[in-house]
Each structure stands twice: as structure tokens, then as C-alpha cells.
Amino acid sequence: MGCVRVLVVEDEPLLAAAIAEWLRDDAHAVDVTGDGAAALERLTVNGYDVLVLDRDIPVVHGDEVCRQLVASGSATRVLMLTAAAAVTDRVEGLGLGADDYLTKPFAFAELAARVLALGRRSRPADPPVLRRAGVALDPARHEVFRDGRYVPLSKKEFAVLAELLRADGATVSAEQLLEKAWDEHVDPFTGAVRLTILKLRRKLGEPGLVDTVTGVGYRIP
């Protein structure tokens, strides 16, 4: 499905950093915070696909974060990540509205698989392979082909191409691409999207595939 926008709420800095690094290696855009109040603030500003939520966090407890998110009607999916491993704890967490529950210690590969599965549920289902104008993008294998030729892409290039293909010919703004493919620390004035599009065009080759719609954004017609 391409890039998943994830918010990790974990008050153990080393664990939070490790989770973020693992998910970014899968080409996801990841933001991190260590307390519930900051999490609620970010959730009102950014459109996250998945929230990885430790229950026992400071300022606002993870349970209350989950309650408020569910009550808001948000499409963000919640993965509770906690040391509370008893069946009653899992039942309670799911009863609060969490979509999934993973106990510590955990395997990073399993966490990544669960995040991807929840990300799929937060959006309309994509076809197994995204196709347009001779391009085939396989999210599961993380492979791209143009007219049968393999195209090696960086994680950001892959995420941007996935969003353009998913738009099915519609124009996607630079702001929308930043929202889906980068985390909140990116400077919107750095030209990151423009540079990534430039590299993507070069790798996809001729004839040119990605059009610029002046003042609006980019599209694959």
C-alpha cells in the first residue's frame, strides 16, 4: 500500500527510537512523542494512518488517548503496545477501542507487519499491484517496473510514486505528498518534494511520466 503515516507514543526513548527506525526502514513516515498530551495534539494536526500507543505514558494516560481518539471518529487505527500482558489487560485495551494489542517484549518484524495491516484498514483497499502508464508498483515486494524494466528507487521515491499512482490520474499537491511520505520534522520549504520528483523522473526514464501542474502539484496522466 506504499507509505503508512505512523505516530509512535512511547516514553522509553531508546525503544521509541528503535521502533521509528525499523518502521522508517519499511518506507513509512514516522513521528515520535513520549507523552499523551503531545500525542493528542499531534493527532489533531496530522492525518495518521496508525497510532502505536504505549498504555502507561505520562501526562495523559494511553487509555485516555485511545478513548478520545475513538470518540472523535478518527480513521486512525490504534495498536496498543504495552507490558501489560494478562488476558484481562488485552480485553480491556481492545474494549477501549484499540484495533490491535501487542505485548512487550515483541519482535520488531511482527510490529511492522501489524502496522502495515492496520494501515491497509485505514484506507480504501489498493489492488495488489498499482499500475498506470506502463508502470507497475508492487507494495508487498517493494518493487517497481516500467515497461518490464526494473527501476531501483529509494524509500522516499517509492512512497511518492505510490501516492501518485494511487491518485489514478488526479493531481497530488506537494503538501499532500509531504503529509504521506515525510514525518513532521521536514521543512516544507526545503524543496524535498521537488528534488524527489526530479530523481524519480530521472530513474523512470523517457518518455517523461510525471507531469507538473503549475501551482497545483504533480500527476501521472
Side-chain angles (χ1 to χ4, degrees):
M1 67 168 291
C3 179
V4 176
R5 186 80 190 270
V6 185
L7 176 62
V8 176
V9 188
E10 169 60 61
D11 63 343
E12 297 180 26
L14 292 178
L15 179 57
I19 293 171
E21 181 179 2
W22 189 280
L23 293 176
R24 286 170 183 150
D25 281 345
D26 280 350
H28 302 315
V30 185
D31 297 330
V32 178
T33 188
D35 71 76
L40 287 170
E41 181 180 359
R42 281 171 168 80
L43 287 163
T44 61
V45 173
N46 300 316
Y48 294 104
D49 299 306
V50 179
L51 171 65
V52 178
L53 178 66
D54 185 12
R55 290 185 75 175
D56 191 15
I57 50 175
V59 187
V60 177
H61 194 274
D63 289 358
E64 182 59 26
V65 172
C66 186
R67 284 193 194 94
Q68 291 192 32
L69 181 65
V70 171
S72 73
S74 171
T76 302
R77 302 295 181 173
V78 181
L79 169 59
M80 279 193 169
L81 185 65
T82 174
V87 171
T88 52
D89 293 316
R90 293 197 293 272
V91 170
E92 183 181 17
L94 294 170
L96 292 168
D99 299 278
D100 199 357
Y101 197 103
L102 185 61
T103 58
K104 302 175 183 177
F106 58 88
F108 283 101
E110 181 182 3
L111 171 65
R114 288 175 182 244
V115 166
L116 184 58
L118 290 175
R120 290 194 187 101
R121 290 166 57 188
S122 72
R123 302 180 182 180
D126 284 332
V129 176
L130 297 170
R131 300 180 187 273
R132 190 173 185 83
V135 172
L137 181 148
D138 187 331
R141 291 187 170 87
H142 211 271
E143 292 179 341
V144 173
F145 293 86
R146 183 177 188 187
D147 298 326
R149 173 180 63 88
Y150 175 68
V151 182
L153 298 180
S154 72
K155 295 167 187 172
K156 284 290 181 285
E157 292 159 2
F158 187 92
V160 167
L161 180 59
E163 292 302 321
L164 292 173
L165 291 172
R166 190 175 288 114
D168 198 25
T171 301
V172 184
S173 70
E175 291 77 13
Q176 288 172 308
L177 291 172
L178 281 172
E179 168 77 15
K180 290 299 182 183
W182 279 266
D183 62 35
E184 66 182 0
H185 299 295
V186 66
D187 183 344
F189 301 106
T190 60
V193 171
R194 182 179 58 82
L195 181 60
T196 300
I197 292 287
L198 182 65
K199 292 178 178 178
L200 186 58
R201 284 174 172 151
R202 187 181 302 129
K203 291 184 178 181
L204 289 171
E206 298 295 336
L209 187 68
V210 182
D211 287 352
T212 299
V213 182
T214 304
V216 182
Y218 305 93
R219 69 187 183 106
I220 297 177

